[in-house]
């Protein structure tokens, strides 16, 4: 028996966490990709809970950076970055519910070298940006094109190969009245760039508007904690997710479940606020669903909590606070 | 001669900074007020450069808080807060231009007590919020209703009267593809809550999309630096602005001019990033338009720059960096 | 009658705020200047409350930067920077008391050009530092030597003269058991770089150890808000202060009084924490001494508080929150 | 062969990483414990490189909290907290060298219940503090006394046992001229509260003054990432370290090595600055000693770096950036 059968998704989902129907979003059926998370785009697909959806995702640059001699600052046209599949309308989803998204599979696609990472001016964790504004001259632009396969991973150099550890960099639901850049992570998900959002995990997302309007894209073949230079191993994929709906589970921030842990995810600046959001949400979750008082949960997390740094480069920074299920007794 | 005749607005504006036509936006003609700054709303008014527009603004609570016994947390329905007039479409405005908005007049309106300030749970500069998440119990809610006239000011208590020093708390243009809550300040203006945006000042705003789509609202009868508890003296007004268009003046952040100073306005978290944005933009302005090298401007602002704290409570904090025009020689 | 006669210093000081004795600390009697605020140095002077002390201060570089061709990074020897006069032992001062320091006069001294400002690598508000660590190349070093007189001010350039608005950049008492670099501002004062600490103001400092052990130095001929590049108009002075002692007034952070305002001063990173410290301390002061409830003070400061940015470049950033005395009714 | 024989300590240490002599610091020989890291205390022990030192450490409360009914805020006397063993003078150590400290063993000592954790007012990651100042009432105080053995771990509750995963919460060298509270982490080490500083790791510390003056204490039986409520499982121990000296290896920040990784440790506020320090130092280390360019290291860490949150509660927050040795090729 898979752990999934005992997951929150299985226990509370309208579809019991089961795969009940199958759908595909190809580049052709997607047509226009989206650069904002919002309620103004027409759904590309409408599904029932239990739907399995395979989506052809673009890389974060929409495939425009093809050669190591390309200049990202000339080719890229802000704010038309980080193209997203969707939105997927989930029947029955209403404000105050939660969407459960089980990540079944991520497969690289497209001609080699499929992978791209770059260093761009005014973007990254160790350089001046439009918000952490400085007067120094920017670093030079660098483009690295990379050969990726599921089996072998990413050929970083003659000596270094990075294992294929794919995850969804950007996934979330629509805000209720806002339409926010797909470069930003926030309470509805978005560009969290958190490696835990990988194959085998279930992400729980707040539903803010009718139909939930799920978007996803920006898959990474590998990424270190913090996505330091701002750009992971970006690559186009076929990403397959199973979508269920949990009625009346009202989330303030995204949550995540694996076989071993539950996690709350916060996004904010400064970074300690992302950590505070994540830990407080986890405390409240432990209090609401696992029999802890807030004080007990606070003290136990002090001794046994884990914190993962997602990104320290996006408009908000992201951290995931988790605790092992074995402590939830 | 008014200083305005030598302002940037007068020197560079399509209408030469002059008042050429007159328009009104009443509650009735506005109809639905807006809670996001975005390109998806239909313009309520289309004008030429040189237009003078008088708008009937609501207070930030849309007049819903009427009694000191009201409970804000029960009455207010997030995210339907901070209602905005507009958008106003400015003919000829294109991405890369700047809008010049001269604030001619702000008059209080509506039945007394017209003014409202409140302390609400999870909102404010000295309390736990949804982002600076803490475990302590919130402060009690407080509502204060206030008598305001232009002549007398705000009757705060038997002993204290606050002079009427009105300004526009929220004003800005539409982002290009995003629609962002009117609670947020950012590169396009928005909820800056900066007292300098008051009668007699000219605000310069980046144009991000065709027609600029100017929104405004949220006028304050008085406010201290930082808008500490999160809510200034909110009141409904008739606010009159003169709108001009500066072609080809591409701004990254809002700027402001008075008889005495030029100012750049930054909004970000943490607060030092707001200050960095503001000072760097002012340096670049001094370098582009006033004959300084960046290094000279950096060193002069070290000795003569002034920094005003707008808000330290909104989703981004706001600061305005300025220098006296007498130093721009 | 001077406002000083109604000051807290006059009303609560052991010496009633009066000048009762006169002392001088020359370069010769000071001998070794100090680079830490701590209890390990032998007092250079012991005084009674009511003492007036004139001290020959060095500039922050101890006069080592003499020519515009000098290289600060080669000449300066970290951590031997920001030399301080003192410590002055105040008889009767004990942990839990407050020192009141009235700044009587600041006079420039030394051969012309007396003033110095520089841009140094890894130091300043708009560059990468040892804490806000970045990978970009530093800005070039720049040294500017400046002619200063009390009457004329600072000759910045052929066109710009900065008025002489001197203040004490670094002043404070010793911590109880720590010895902390004179480059840092903190709860005991130190390198606050706040222009309000100028002629005519009274600074109130917590006493943390027997004798208080007052240090001071680092006078500035002028400075903008934030001390942006990290270095104000540094100059050697004769600085005259009157010292009184307030028994049993236990301060958490430095406070300040002028004819018009009372101010609380906070130092922290990120900058919003400096603002929070300052505003909370001011609220508690208003509650303890002026008949406000904390909630009333919180709401009044929202409408009438003022916030001054001292520095955004030192190991902690400094802000001063104030309110006009006319509102303290 | 142990990995230690190929460690930097073994390759560069004066003693070749070997254990050459044996020493003990008991409670009796320590006498007075220390509350600051500084050069003003007399060494309790002088050793040659290669010394193995066993120290009887106190818990962070010096054993004063004995019962769950105790009130920490009444018993504890700030700043006399976090007592430290040492300083240990290392012969031959000079400014610009590095100390290598291999953590051989940590054993709990003292009568049961040996372990202590508490929630105290104005201290912790999810509450108002003296720096993140808020107006809300503090959480209630809580004391938890805990049974700890090396074999069994910490009995947290009837249902939960935390494995014994001990580490040194506070360890470092003396600053050159400052004496800084043992509650603070900084460039010389100190109160980093980073679980990686555990048995089997080698810590490398900058030498700032003659003899290095090593302090240590504050051992934890377990701790989650961030030390959320501010207090880990504090306990008294016998802690055994092997000390070597690396001449001419000038470090800006603490570093760490295990069999599998190298790590750089940064401490700062806001938290992103701790992360920036750690990652930049790791990049420079990779560039200096492992043949990377800074740009290559920056890009590789983006894909393969790991970041551990030590504490988010101390005067500075601590993060450790690491990379697997298998990538250092």
């Amino acid at each position: 028996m898979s752990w999934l059968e005992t997951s929150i998704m299985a226990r509370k989902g309208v579809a019991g966490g089961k795969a009940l129907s199958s759908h595909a979003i190809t580049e052709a059926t997607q047509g226009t990709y989206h650069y904002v998370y919002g309620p103004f785009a027409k759904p590309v697909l409408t599904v029932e809970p239990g739907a399995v959806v395979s989506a052809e995702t673009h890389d974060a640059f929409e495939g425009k950076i093809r050669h190591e001699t390309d200049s990202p600052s000339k080719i890229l046209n802000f704010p038309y970055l980080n193209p997203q599949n969707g939105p997927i309308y989930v029947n029955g989803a209403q404000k105050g519910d939660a969407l459960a998204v089980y990540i079944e599979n991520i497969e690289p696609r497209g001609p080699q070298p499929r992978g791209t990472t770059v260093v761009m001016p005014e973007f990254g964790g160790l350089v001046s940006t439009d918000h952490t504004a400085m007067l120094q001259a920017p670093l030079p632009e660098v483009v690295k094109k990379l050969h990726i396969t599921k089996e072998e991973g990413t050929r970083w150099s003659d000596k270094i190969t990075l294992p294929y550890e794919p995850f969804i960099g950007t996934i979330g639901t629509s805000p209720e009245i806002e339409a926010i850049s797909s470069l930003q992570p926030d309470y509805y998900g978005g560009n969290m760039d958190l490696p835990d959002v990988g194959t085998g995990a279930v992400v729980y997302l707040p539903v803010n508007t009718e139909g939930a309007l799920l978007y996803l894209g920006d898959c990474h073949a590998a990424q270190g904690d913090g996505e330091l230079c701002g750009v992971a191993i970006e690559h186009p994929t076929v990403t397959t997710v199973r979508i269920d709906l949990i009625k009346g589970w009202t989330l303030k921030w995204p949550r995540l479940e694996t076989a071993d842990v539950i996690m709350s995810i916060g996004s904010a600046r400064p970074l300690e606020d992302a950590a505070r959001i994540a830990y407080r949400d986890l405390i409240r979750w432990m209090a609401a669903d696992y029999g802890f008082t807030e004080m007990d949960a606070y003290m136990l997390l002090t001794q046994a909590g884990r914190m993962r740094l997602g990104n320290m480069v996006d408009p908000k920074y992201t951290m995931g606070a988790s605790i092992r299920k074995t402590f939830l007794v």
Side-chain angles (χ1 to χ4, degrees), chain A residues 12-146:
Chain A
K12 297 194 179 177
V14 168
K18 293 200 169 60
L20 301 179
S21 67
S22 188
H23 311 262
I25 303 173
T26 62
E27 284 194 39
T29 59
Q30 177 65 49
T32 308
Y33 285 67
H34 297 288
Y35 308 98
V36 293
Y37 275 61
F40 303 103
K42 203 182 144 198
V44 69
L45 182 69
T46 297
V47 300
E48 298 296 325
V52 176
V53 180
S54 287
E56 289 183 354
T57 69
H58 275 307
D59 71 26
F61 306 119
E62 212 156 347
K64 292 177 184 167
I65 299 181
R66 291 182 191 147
H67 309 287
E68 299 203 337
T69 50
D70 286 346
S71 164
S73 62
K74 283 179 194 143
I75 289 174
L76 302 175
N77 181 23
F78 181 87
Y80 302 94
L81 291 173
N82 203 12
Q84 300 292 301
N85 290 85
I88 301 169
Y89 188 103
V90 180
N91 277 325
Q94 289 175 304
K95 186 177 176 177
D97 297 338
L99 222 56
V101 183
Y102 170 58
I103 303 169
E104 289 199 354
N105 193 30
I106 301 173
E107 299 262 353
R109 69 182 182 99
Q112 300 283 9
R114 297 160 169 171
T116 309
T117 188
V118 312
V119 172
M120 283 184 294
E122 294 282 294
F123 189 55
L126 293 180
V127 297
S128 170
T129 67
D130 58 346
H131 275 66
T132 305
M134 309 244 155
L135 294 176
Q136 292 152 280
L139 298 179
E141 288 194 303
V142 179
V143 172
K144 213 168 155 78
K145 292 293 296 182
L146 298 152

Side-chain angles (χ1 to χ4, degrees), chain A residues 110-262:
Chain A
Q112 300 283 9
R114 297 160 169 171
T116 309
T117 188
V118 312
V119 172
M120 283 184 294
E122 294 282 294
F123 189 55
L126 293 180
V127 297
S128 170
T129 67
D130 58 346
H131 275 66
T132 305
M134 309 244 155
L135 294 176
Q136 292 152 280
L139 298 179
E141 288 194 303
V142 179
V143 172
K144 213 168 155 78
K145 292 293 296 182
L146 298 152
H147 188 280
I148 302 172
T149 63
K150 191 170 187 176
E151 298 69 29
E152 185 198 359
T154 301
R155 290 184 203 159
W156 181 260
S157 66
D158 289 353
K159 296 172 182 169
I160 298 173
T161 299
L162 303 166
Y164 190 65
E165 298 174 334
F167 68 96
I168 304 176
T170 310
I171 183 170
T173 53
S174 174
E176 184 172 356
I177 61 172
E178 292 183 290
I180 297 178
S181 166
S182 54
L183 295 170
Q184 176 160 327
D186 216 321
Y187 64 91
Y188 53 82
N191 192 20
M192 299 179 285
D193 289 323
L194 183 69
D196 302 77
V197 185
T199 310
V202 181
V203 188
Y204 301 102
L205 299 163
V207 176
N208 308 295
T209 191
E210 212 177 282
L213 301 178
L214 180 70
Y215 294 83
L216 64 84
D218 182 31
C219 292
H220 298 168
Q223 186 199 294
D225 296 347
E227 201 186 17
L228 189 60
C229 82
V231 184
I233 310 285
E234 313 290 335
H235 73 319
T237 71
V238 178
T239 291
T240 304
V241 296
R242 189 189 306 180
I243 302 167
D244 205 344
L245 175 66
I246 301 177
K247 295 297 295 179
W249 197 32
T250 304
L251 308 182
K252 296 272 188 190
W253 289 90
R255 292 176 176 174
L256 183 142
E257 186 183 11
T258 67
D260 298 324
V261 305
I262 62 169

